[in-house]
Amino acid sequence: MPPTVFSRQVPGAATRALIIGVGHYPSLPGGGGPQMQRPEGLKQLESPPVSAREFAQWLIKNYQSDARPLATVQLLLSEKQPAPFEYKVHGATTAANPQPADMVTVKQAIRDWYELGNHNPDDLMLFYFCGHGVSEGALTALLMSDFGSQPLALMEGAVDFRRFHAGMEDCLARHQCYFIDACRLPSTLLRRFDHAGDPVLQPGAQPNPDGRVRLGPKFMSTLPGESSHGQPGKPSLFTGALLEALNGAGAGDEDGGDWVVKTNRLHAAMEYLVKEIIEENGWDVGQQTITDGMQDLPLNTLERPVVPVSLTVDPKQAHDEATWQCTDGNGINLQREADPKPWNFRVPVGSYRFRADFVSPRYAQVIKTEIVRPPFVRRRLKVVPA
């Protein structure tokens, strides 16, 4: 068994996760090591280790799949102050040391992950990376912690994501999902050498080993040529949206049974959630989630999804003085005082009564009953003059 922070025996098909978060780059400015001469604006990052830890925590605590339970989590981190990874399940706390996120360790971890999934075609393989990335045309390089440490071979510390993804075609596990939380800004290095790093896996002569089509959607945190954004001490915008989508915003019940988060619904939910936090904070950024290969791949099962809701009043003058209430008749009673921002909140799937009251006698009370279900509810309530 390769190094993991979580593992258990699972009979039959299983889910296997490889999670990499790179924030500390010794050869980039402020990293404390031999410095890369032309770092192209790259610097130290705070969000990736936090984001990777949060994703690993979520998988261990919340992931549900009767068809393929979580079996292994490999966690590789590069952070300024390394610390154990701790999680609590059924009241018991477990601590484990993440592996480092240098290129040598990452290459071995990827190959170990490949081998873990190379025994059962029904396994689900989850790959998550958060850290620096650069792009040029079809090339995307994911930068590991020792990127730039070799002056005559700068790209030795990078994974060529396109060719790595192609190499996973040979893995027996036919269901794979990739989450790439990294900038995709242009790079003179990629442009000059037409080289995005090490593919880690070399595609064999016989891909698609058992005749079943590989489903391998790729969720990218931003468009080509754009930045991906994080918040100090918090998960990144992309990872925060991913976790919310997995908790319910990406769920559907179209099969008539349980609520199931699937990849085709995940995209719409994440796109909305990233946009919501950008608008709520008034940030001037253009980050937009993009998905390549959006197949109908089940990821998580829920009893009652949690759904994002956003309410405003039209006209804006009425919204600015509106006090709000949201109730469901079963104990939920949310309230908000007047605020010029939209009222963004989360509630479980169900039927809710929204009410807006106003200080000014010009506006009549507004009441609306709404079925709240994924991916989100966004309503602008029109005010009728009193």
Side-chain angles (χ1 to χ4, degrees):
M1 173 68 71
T4 60
V5 295
F6 174 88
S7 66
R8 63 176 175 177
Q9 292 294 322
V10 172
T15 297
R16 306 185 181 281
L18 173 55
I19 301 170
I20 304 171
V22 188
H24 181 59
Y25 289 85
S27 294
L28 296 183
Q35 293 294 286
M36 183 177 173
Q37 290 188 357
R38 289 180 289 276
E40 299 190 347
L42 300 173
K43 57 185 180 180
Q44 305 301 309
L45 301 174
E46 293 186 36
S47 185
V50 177
S51 299
R53 286 175 178 272
E54 286 291 322
F55 186 53
Q57 290 272 5
W58 184 90
L59 282 173
I60 295 168
K61 293 180 179 180
N62 301 301
Y63 178 77
Q64 293 292 329
S65 173
D66 291 337
R68 39 196 177 196
L70 183 66
T72 56
V73 176
Q74 297 163 258
L75 178 62
L76 291 78
L77 299 177
S78 176
E79 45 197 347
K80 190 172 183 179
Q81 296 180 327
F85 172 73
E86 295 184 353
Y87 60 91
K88 182 179 289 187
V89 177
H90 304 306
T93 299
T94 300
N97 291 320
Q99 292 181 272
D102 61 277
M103 192 62 190
V104 170
T105 310
V106 167
K107 287 173 65 173
Q108 186 59 55
I110 288 175
R111 291 166 182 168
D112 289 340
W113 179 65
Y114 178 106
E115 289 298 335
L116 286 170
N118 204 33
H119 301 283
N120 191 325
D122 294 320
D123 276 2
L124 171 62
M125 309 296 284
L126 300 178
F127 179 85
Y128 171 95
F129 173 83
C130 187
H132 276 307
V134 291
S135 294
E136 191 67 39
L139 301 176
T140 295
L142 308 181
L143 310 186
M144 303 305 148
S145 65
D146 50 349
F147 171 74
S149 62
Q150 296 294 333
L152 299 182
L154 294 173
M155 297 304 293
E156 277 191 0
V159 170
D160 182 332
F161 177 62
R162 181 175 63 89
R163 290 196 291 160
F164 156 56
H165 183 270
M168 282 296 295
E169 174 67 43
D170 286 14
C171 183
L172 189 60
R174 297 288 79 197
H175 290 172
Q176 306 165 13
C177 194
Y178 299 80
F179 302 103
I180 306 302
D181 191 354
C183 294
R184 303 178 72 187
L185 294 172
S187 167
T188 56
L189 278 173
L190 270 63
R191 189 182 309 123
R192 181 181 177 189
F193 297 109
D194 194 31
H195 173 64
D198 194 327
V200 185
L201 305 171
Q202 304 293 338
Q206 293 183 335
N208 193 7
D210 75 339
R212 290 168 54 183
V213 174
R214 188 262 298 252
L215 303 182
K218 297 171 283 187
F219 289 81
M220 314 296 287
S221 63
T222 194
L223 297 167
E226 297 293 336
S227 296
S228 187
H229 300 275
Q231 304 176 79
K234 297 180 180 180
S236 68
L237 273 63
F238 175 85
T239 299
L242 170 61
L243 296 179
E244 273 212 64
L246 289 168
N247 275 330
D253 63 347
E254 61 272 16
D255 296 330
D258 293 328
W259 289 93
V260 180
V261 176
K262 296 184 178 181
T263 49
N264 57 350
R265 289 180 169 272
L266 201 64
H267 173 82
M270 291 178 65
E271 188 173 36
Y272 170 81
L273 290 163
V274 169
K275 183 179 179 181
E276 180 193 66
I277 192 170
I278 290 173
E279 291 180 349
E280 191 173 90
N281 289 278
W283 294 332
D284 184 20
V285 298
Q287 183 173 338
Q288 180 179 339
T289 301
I290 184 169
T291 306
D292 179 7
M294 193 177 359
Q295 293 101 352
D296 187 23
L297 181 60
L299 294 178
N300 190 40
T301 303
L302 299 157
E303 290 186 7
R304 196 179 180 195
V306 176
V307 184
V309 179
S310 181
L311 301 178
T312 56
V313 167
D314 186 20
K316 186 178 185 308
Q317 293 91 335
H319 175 81
D320 290 347
E321 65 173 74
T323 58
W324 290 93
Q325 184 182 45
C326 168
T327 57
D328 72 341
N330 293 307
I332 290 180
N333 185 354
L334 305 179
Q335 300 181 41
R336 191 186 79 157
E337 297 299 318
D339 191 311
K341 292 182 178 180
W343 187 22
N344 297 331
F345 58 97
R346 310 297 190 248
V347 289
V349 165
S351 178
Y352 292 87
R353 180 176 180 266
F354 306 140
R355 191 183 83 190
D357 294 289
F358 307 93
V359 174
S360 171
R362 293 179 297 165
Y363 306 119
Q365 182 187 75
V366 179
I367 297 176
K368 183 176 179 61
T369 299
E370 186 87 27
I371 300 295
V372 172
R373 56 180 290 122
F376 56 85
V377 171
R378 191 172 196 174
R379 297 290 182 266
R380 183 181 296 274
L381 308 184
K382 291 184 179 286
V383 176
V384 177

